[in-house]
Amino acid sequence: MQLNIKDPATIALAHRLADKTGKTMTAVIREALEREEREREEKVAAKIAAIMEIAADFRRNMPEEWRGKTSKEIMDEIYDDDGLPI
């Protein structure tokens, strides 16, 4: 398999990093890509965790009369047929 990088600045950066670390260009590029992928996955996981915490907080604090009802049932209780708050 082959990867063809045509950007001179990217090639120079890969060369400098390889020289400074004593690693091959392939290794520094692979490590950079793996790090980017890991950081993106961590950001997604953090966002999901934050959303899950918001949902859990809502469930803990939701009005008792809403428990066990569907969102449609709740909406039907708080809005009239014209979509206005009751």
Side-chain angles (χ1 to χ4, degrees):
M1 220 176 267
Q2 183 175 329
L3 176 65
N4 187 5
I5 300 172
K6 296 183 179 186
D7 177 44
T10 301
I11 294 168
L13 180 59
H15 273 294
R16 286 195 310 272
L17 190 54
D19 289 342
K20 290 177 182 179
T21 61
K23 297 176 182 178
T24 65
M25 285 184 50
T26 299
V28 297
I29 292 169
R30 182 184 332 104
E31 288 172 5
L33 292 171
E34 288 170 345
R35 184 171 42 255
E36 177 69 20
E37 181 180 42
R38 185 175 54 253
E39 288 172 1
R40 286 179 179 269
E41 289 172 356
E42 289 169 357
K43 286 179 183 177
V44 168
K47 286 179 182 180
I48 291 170
I51 291 167
M52 297 302 285
E53 180 54 36
I54 291 168
D57 185 54
F58 177 79
R59 283 190 299 277
R60 284 190 299 273
N61 296 300
M62 75 182 330
E64 191 60 40
E65 62 270 15
W66 287 3
R67 295 186 189 280
K69 293 185 179 180
T70 66
S71 60
K72 179 172 181 351
E73 292 169 328
I74 294 168
M75 297 300 275
D76 288 345
E77 288 180 5
I78 62 176
Y79 294 102
D80 67 17
D81 292 336
D82 296 320
L84 298 172
I86 295 177

